[in-house]
Amino acid sequence: MTTPIIEMRGIMKRFGAVQALNNVNFRLMPGEILGLVGDNSAGKSTLMKVMTGAYQRDAGQVLVNGEETHFKSPHESRDRGIEMIYQDFALCGNMDVGQNIFLGRWPKRFGLFVDRARMYEEARQVLGRLKVDVNSVFQKVESLSGGRQQSVAIARAISFEPKVIVFDEPTANLSVMATERLLETMAELKRQGVAQVIISHRLTDIFEVGDRIMVLKRGENVGDRYIAHTTEKEVLELIVSGTPETALTADEALQRAA
């Protein structure tokens, strides 16, 4: 049996009087695209921030390739091949595309000077790997459309050679055309073996590219389904009224359908 690239067991997280996560289990298989859905207070982003070390869990385990870990910061999870791309992309608008892709770790010559030629060439290579079209690696990021800026954010994540990328509401502010390009990029990353988590309210996007979908409600697991064996209607019902007592794992649901 294949070992999950990421597994979380019994995750608990409280913020003051609010129990944000209550005994949440999560798994992500190598090369899988998983949709993580639920309403605005479900705990989706909190769970992913616990996974990446942005938040510290109160209880539970996080395993990477079967090895228990305890990331103290996103820098530590990055070292293990996990990247998270936030809604605001965290780009520097006054810098160009190449500078943003290698921000804070620019290639050096003789250990002292920024090797600009190498930086821009490697930026082109990363963008080419994603099969995205940015007019120029010298273009200021602030002059790019939202979709192009997102491509730069993804390229920066890819430059770290991640095994896992988490997208936080990636299509929320994109045009129809930009959304199509992003979904094509996700499919390309899957072909390259990169596992992905999509936090989104747009079920149509998840059903187009996803393999599996997991539902949280009020910080608890309420459903886990393979895309091929469920419908948007069933997932919506879980988001609105699902309860832990009635939830099935994807494997249980598949066995029941057989």
Side-chain angles (χ1 to χ4, degrees):
M1 184 176 179
T2 304
T3 301
I5 190 167
I6 302 286
E7 186 174 8
M8 305 173 78
R9 302 172 180 170
I11 300 298
M12 308 286 285
K13 181 63 180 178
R14 177 182 289 274
F15 297 100
V18 177
Q19 187 70 50
L21 298 172
N22 184 25
N23 197 34
V24 174
N25 296 316
F26 170 93
R27 64 182 169 89
L28 180 68
M29 306 306 292
E32 180 180 44
I33 297 181
L34 171 68
L36 183 58
V37 302
D39 59 27
N40 288 331
S41 59
K44 307 180 297 296
S45 294
T46 299
L47 182 65
M48 292 297 94
K49 288 177 180 178
V50 167
M51 184 180 83
T52 61
Y55 291 160
Q56 298 304 302
R57 61 190 183 269
D58 298 329
Q61 295 176 292
V62 177
L63 296 92
V64 178
N65 292 318
E67 178 185 346
E68 186 169 1
T69 61
H70 199 131
F71 299 130
K72 296 179 181 177
S73 73
H75 294 291
E76 294 186 3
S77 62
R78 171 174 284 167
D79 290 341
R80 293 295 300 270
I82 303 169
E83 288 286 330
M84 186 165 178
I85 300 174
Y86 296 94
Q87 282 182 269
D88 63 1
F89 309 145
L91 299 173
C92 294
N94 62 334
M95 293 184 175
D96 63 38
V97 171
Q99 290 170 325
N100 268 277
I101 291 176
F102 290 98
L103 186 64
R105 53 192 178 90
W106 296 324
K108 298 291 183 66
R109 289 184 297 126
F110 312 117
L112 297 173
F113 308 104
V114 175
D115 190 338
R116 297 178 66 86
R118 177 183 163 196
M119 178 176 71
Y120 289 116
E121 177 56 32
E122 291 185 359
R124 292 187 189 95
Q125 291 175 7
V126 173
L127 291 166
R129 176 181 168 187
L130 291 175
K131 299 183 179 178
V132 298
D133 180 26
V134 173
N135 291 334
S136 169
V137 292
F138 303 106
Q139 189 171 358
K140 290 286 193 295
V141 163
E142 62 191 4
S143 69
L144 299 175
S145 67
R148 300 297 188 194
Q149 288 188 25
Q150 188 169 60
S151 293
V152 175
I154 296 171
R156 183 177 60 192
I158 285 297
S159 70
F160 286 97
E161 297 292 334
K163 300 295 188 297
V164 175
I165 298 180
V166 180
F167 294 91
D168 191 2
E169 296 290 352
T171 61
N173 300 308
L174 298 186
S175 66
V176 173
M177 184 174 296
T179 295
E180 290 177 355
R181 283 199 301 265
L182 174 61
L183 296 179
E184 290 170 0
T185 298
M186 290 176 171
E188 179 61 29
L189 290 171
K190 178 179 174 62
R191 285 190 287 271
Q192 296 178 20
V194 179
Q196 298 160 73
V197 180
I198 307 172
I199 303 172
S200 181
H201 288 90
R202 295 173 60 163
L203 295 182
T204 301
D205 297 338
I206 293 173
F207 270 72
E208 183 168 339
V209 297
D211 299 300
R212 187 165 54 90
I213 193 162
M214 173 179 159
V215 186
L216 291 180
K217 188 173 182 67
R218 298 190 188 95
E220 298 185 347
N221 296 105
V222 297
D224 188 338
R225 301 284 190 274
Y226 288 111
I227 297 293
H229 298 280
T230 191
T231 63
E232 289 188 39
K233 181 176 182 292
E234 181 183 16
V235 173
L236 280 170
E237 289 174 349
L238 286 168
I239 292 172
V240 173
S241 60
T243 63
E245 288 75 25
T246 61
L248 298 174
T249 67
D251 293 325
E252 288 169 342
L254 187 60
Q255 290 171 3
R256 180 170 293 190

